[in-house]
Amino acid sequence: DKSQHAKFGVRELVPALDLPKVNIKQNSRGTNSVQTTVLRRCLRQPVSRRIEGLSLDWNHELVTSLSWLGKTFVVSLFGLGATLWVLIRYTVWGRQFRLISWAYFNPAKNRLPLVWLALIILFTLFGVRLNVLLSFWSNSFYNAMQELDAKAFWFMLLVFSILATTHVCRSLLEYWLRQAFSIRWRIWLTRRLLDRWFDGQAYYRSRFVSDSADNPDQRIQQDIESFVNSSMKLAMGLLEAVVSLMA
């Protein structure tokens, strides 16, 4: 019944809060005489004690975040490399991607594209970490408001100003890196495909094949743009989704 349920709830609540032992007695109405007192003490407990694991040590979070970022970056590089190897080996799309773009990413010819791509991966992971920190900040900020803790309230505003500034700078740098990388990749692909189109007068001989394409020069430009943008969105979107799930 309700009295037994209330009695059980209080007996379970007292040791969990490390409160002094009390004798639970029922009054004439069948309710616990100390239930209200225990619940009030429960509400007075600090949030970090009532809800463990939902707060961060903001004084040391910079070192923790840098450590997390470094470990996740290394794991992500191996994960993306393994995923690309599987796609190239077992899928038609992967073999087509290798045929079109391997010469651009070949480290024996030029390592700059791989360095550029590694920076984009790093900034993507940095964005995931900032989203996690903002989530924890929201919890700590509203807890400070709920407890009317002025010191914690102003401290969390300071933390937010740092996080917001960092997030804006990271977003701008990541956008610039992605656009610059995509433009360089598109320039290389355009030159490569145009060279193959002009080689051996292929542009002229293509008029006499049964399945010739209209306006091949325009299609080369449009297809390259679609290929580069779709590849970047797919790779970085997959990375961000998996890391966000594990973070």
Side-chain angles (χ1 to χ4, degrees):
D1 56 6
K2 294 184 179 180
S3 61
Q4 292 180 352
H5 178 73
K7 185 176 180 180
F8 174 80
V10 174
R11 289 186 182 278
E12 293 294 326
L13 191 62
V14 171
L17 296 174
D18 296 330
L19 296 175
K21 295 183 179 180
V22 294
N23 295 324
I24 300 178
K25 298 181 180 179
Q26 294 183 345
N27 55 23
S28 59
R29 297 183 179 179
T31 59
N32 297 318
S33 59
V34 297
Q35 182 177 5
T36 304
T37 304
V38 171
L39 292 178
R40 286 178 179 176
R41 293 186 183 182
C42 172
L43 294 176
R44 291 174 183 173
Q45 298 298 325
V47 174
S48 59
R49 185 177 178 184
R50 284 189 278 127
I51 309 177
E52 297 181 357
L54 295 181
S55 60
L56 296 177
D57 185 2
W58 294 101
N59 295 322
H60 302 86
E61 187 54 38
L62 177 60
V63 177
T64 303
S65 296
L66 291 177
S67 176
W68 179 91
L69 189 60
K71 295 177 182 178
T72 309
F73 177 69
V74 174
V75 174
S76 299
L77 290 180
F78 282 102
L80 287 176
T83 303
L84 183 60
W85 180 84
V86 171
L87 291 175
I88 292 175
R89 187 174 180 84
Y90 296 103
T91 65
V92 176
W93 180 87
R95 289 190 290 270
Q96 292 175 344
F97 181 87
R98 181 180 183 276
L99 180 63
I100 296 174
S101 300
W102 171 247
Y104 182 68
F105 293 99
N106 189 357
K109 295 183 178 181
N110 190 4
R111 297 181 179 180
L112 184 60
L114 292 178
V115 174
W116 210 283
L117 183 60
L119 287 175
I120 295 175
I121 294 174
L122 181 63
F123 273 85
T124 301
L125 297 175
F126 191 18
V128 173
R129 185 60 183 178
L130 282 176
N131 289 333
V132 173
L133 293 179
L134 287 171
S135 178
F136 278 99
W137 172 88
S138 178
N139 175 71
S140 301
F141 177 75
Y142 287 105
N143 285 336
M145 294 183 63
Q146 180 180 354
E147 296 180 354
L148 302 180
D149 190 342
K151 183 177 180 180
F153 172 82
W154 291 111
F155 176 76
M156 295 313 301
L157 283 182
L158 176 62
V159 171
F160 177 76
S161 64
I162 297 174
L163 291 177
T165 303
T166 305
H167 183 66
V168 171
C169 295
R170 183 213 63 84
S171 298
L172 292 176
L173 286 175
E174 182 186 11
Y175 180 79
W176 180 81
L177 284 172
R178 290 198 183 192
Q179 293 298 314
F181 177 78
S182 298
I183 291 174
R184 292 171 182 267
W185 191 3
R186 288 168 54 186
I187 291 175
W188 181 88
L189 273 177
T190 301
R191 290 175 178 174
R192 179 179 175 85
L193 294 182
L194 286 179
D195 289 341
R196 295 181 63 180
W197 188 44
F198 287 116
D199 186 28
Q201 294 184 338
Y203 63 91
Y204 175 75
R205 291 185 287 108
S206 63
R207 298 173 57 185
F208 301 99
V209 298
S210 58
D211 55 347
S212 60
D214 296 332
N215 301 321
D217 52 345
Q218 183 178 358
R219 295 187 63 177
I220 288 176
Q221 180 267 329
Q222 293 177 349
D223 290 346
I224 287 176
E225 181 180 5
S226 176
F227 172 77
V228 171
N229 293 337
S230 298
S231 299
M232 287 297 299
K233 289 181 180 180
L234 177 62
M236 295 302 105
L238 177 63
L239 175 64
E240 185 174 359
V242 172
V243 176
S244 299
L245 181 64
M246 303 300 295

